[in-house]
Amino acid sequence: MQLNASNRIESLDILRGVTVCGMILVNNAGACGFGYTPLKHAKWDGFTPADLVFPMFMFIMGVSIYLSLSKHNFNPSAYLSKVLSRTVKIVLAGIVMHIAMSMIAEQTFDVLETLRIPGVLQRLGICYGIVAIMALYMKHRNFYWLIPLLLVGYSIILAAGNGYEKCADNICAIVDNLVFTSNHIYLKGKQFLDPEGVLSTIPAVAQVMIGFICGKYIKENKDNIDRVLPMFILGTILLIIGYLWSYSCPLNKRLWTPSFTCVTCGVSALMLAVSMYVIDEKKKWKRLRFFTVVGINPLVIFLLSEILGEAFRTLEITTWSFVHLWQPVFGDYGGSLMYAIVFMLINWGVAYLLYRKNITIKL
């Protein structure tokens, strides 16, 4: 499929690329136990830069949903089949990715009995489908009351169901094990629940809806300054709400708590506002176009990185290169980081080849 660069907002492509590169760095440390704190997820409550990259990608996806569906004025007859098709493709791609990774890691084709069913791509596909269908059939002003309803409703579920505790009695763990069974969730249930589980999809949908609202501001305002100001205001408000809410509802990525949703959407809106002002308005930060090549094919590059990363670990390329190349020169933590950077650049190289050939691969 040929690209039409004039129809793209460069800051969106760059931020998409930043988030995918961030996910690759986070998921591919050179040695277990030697990851830098900013590149490690919080173990339970808390927040690190690594916890931002996936939620920011979902926020940007919400922006893109509005920009895409508005081309035909949200006409269901023009878009419903495409939305359903893309939803299925993304979810199936996530499942196929897990199958491939399991076969590589376990070196057997018999992996279905312990295959993880939820996942990053699955969450993306489900949230995309839900928000896009809502956008086609619902008045968009209803998003403004539905978002807080979803977040407050989920916070009530957590509070009433022991949802903030990392234990088997957590309502999220109970539902995930009931729906998928422990064999089919993250780490086969060793951490009780799946970080992309059933109930935590509720605030994740709200995350995409907030991005959708920002997409509305971008589309309806042709001047970049008029686009940026509402996002600055919204981002600041969400950031304040999220941190105040965190006193009663901890920041927690695995639970995707409402406070976590507000904080990550706030940071994402502020980063998008800054990017649009500097990149699209002032035409500066040209070096950030390094990330554009990944941002144009984000899901394909993420899928490739996950499968390739598992192959490198199974073949002990990761360990060998850390021990013989990176650790002797850069030390434990520096060597682990250098491996992650080099691995990210390998995937960037594939994205660059697609970019040079003017190709996008849409799942």
Side-chain angles (χ1 to χ4, degrees):
M1 178 178 178
Q2 297 297 310
L3 290 174
N4 185 350
S6 63
N7 290 332
R8 305 188 73 94
I9 298 176
E10 188 171 14
S11 55
L12 279 177
D13 285 332
I14 287 173
L15 281 183
R16 262 194 298 263
V18 168
T19 58
V20 173
C21 288
M23 285 192 277
I24 294 173
L25 290 174
V26 168
N27 293 344
N28 293 277
C32 182
F34 293 119
Y36 277 103
T37 298
L39 295 180
K40 294 193 294 185
H41 292 296
K43 292 183 178 180
W44 190 246
D45 293 339
F47 185 75
T48 73
D51 294 324
L52 175 64
V53 287
F54 182 33
M56 189 163 81
F57 187 92
M58 296 191 68
F59 171 89
I60 295 170
M61 182 173 70
V63 175
S64 300
I65 289 173
Y66 189 96
L67 298 179
S68 176
L69 298 185
S70 64
K71 293 177 182 177
H72 291 282
N73 200 28
F74 299 93
N75 185 348
S77 62
Y79 270 111
L80 180 59
S81 61
K82 294 179 181 178
V83 166
L84 294 175
S85 174
R86 191 174 188 214
T87 299
V88 172
K89 286 179 181 178
I90 296 174
V91 172
L92 287 180
I95 293 174
V96 170
M97 183 184 79
H98 282 175
I99 291 174
M101 292 174 66
S102 296
M103 288 193 299
I104 292 170
E106 299 175 22
Q107 300 183 38
T108 177
F109 292 101
D110 186 18
V111 297
L112 296 182
E113 289 185 3
T114 56
L115 180 71
R116 182 188 174 199
I117 297 176
V120 169
L121 290 179
Q122 292 88 316
R123 169 154 289 180
L124 286 172
I126 291 169
C127 291
Y128 164 81
I130 291 173
V131 175
I133 291 172
M134 288 169 58
L136 292 175
Y137 289 98
M138 180 184 292
K139 292 181 179 179
H140 299 160
R141 65 172 179 265
N142 290 333
F143 279 37
Y144 291 94
W145 62 262
L146 186 54
I147 290 169
L149 180 64
L150 290 174
L151 294 179
V152 172
Y154 180 57
S155 69
I156 293 172
I157 292 172
L158 291 177
N162 200 32
Y164 298 116
E165 299 300 321
K166 190 177 181 181
C167 65
D169 293 330
N170 183 309
I171 183 65
C172 295
I174 292 171
V175 173
D176 286 347
N177 281 276
L178 182 65
V179 174
F180 300 116
T181 74
S182 60
N183 275 346
H184 298 290
I185 63 176
Y186 183 64
L187 296 179
K188 299 178 178 62
K190 291 179 182 177
Q191 294 190 0
F192 304 111
L193 52 81
D194 196 291
E196 282 79 45
V198 177
L199 290 180
S200 60
T201 302
I202 297 171
V205 168
Q207 183 109 19
V208 179
M209 293 172 69
I210 294 171
F212 181 89
I213 290 173
C214 288
K216 183 174 185 291
Y217 285 121
I218 292 172
K219 183 68 176 180
E220 292 180 349
N221 294 285
K222 302 303 179 184
D223 184 78
N224 271 329
I225 302 300
D226 293 333
R227 291 172 169 180
V228 164
L229 184 59
M231 280 190 287
F232 262 121
I233 295 172
L234 177 62
T236 302
I237 292 172
L238 286 171
L239 200 56
I240 293 171
I241 291 173
Y243 272 111
L244 290 176
W245 204 347
S246 70
Y247 285 99
S248 61
C249 171
L251 295 170
N252 188 305
K253 179 185 181 294
R254 293 186 185 276
L255 297 171
W256 213 285
T257 53
S259 60
F260 176 82
T261 303
C262 291
V263 167
T264 53
C265 280
V267 175
S268 299
L270 290 172
M271 289 184 67
L272 180 57
V274 170
S275 299
M276 291 187 66
Y277 179 75
V278 175
I279 297 170
D280 299 317
E281 176 67 20
K282 297 298 183 179
K283 308 298 181 183
K284 295 182 178 180
W285 288 4
K286 292 182 180 181
R287 289 184 179 86
L288 288 179
R289 288 173 182 166
F290 169 90
F291 298 103
T292 300
V293 300
V294 178
I296 289 173
N297 283 292
L299 297 186
V300 169
I301 298 305
F302 173 74
L303 189 153
L304 170 68
S305 72
E306 290 292 279
I307 295 176
L308 192 61
E310 193 63 59
F312 277 24
R313 287 186 289 271
T314 301
L315 296 173
E316 298 189 354
I317 295 174
T318 302
T319 301
W320 184 91
S321 63
F322 174 76
V323 171
H324 293 90
L325 298 178
W326 312 120
Q327 194 272 345
V329 178
F330 300 100
D332 292 333
Y333 288 95
S336 180
L337 177 61
M338 281 303 302
Y339 171 83
I341 291 173
V342 170
F343 181 79
M344 183 270 290
L345 290 175
I346 291 172
N347 289 274
W348 181 90
V350 176
Y352 182 71
L353 291 176
L354 296 175
Y355 176 78
R356 286 296 302 268
K357 292 184 178 294
N358 218 23
I359 295 172
T360 58
I361 303 174
K362 288 190 175 181
L363 294 178

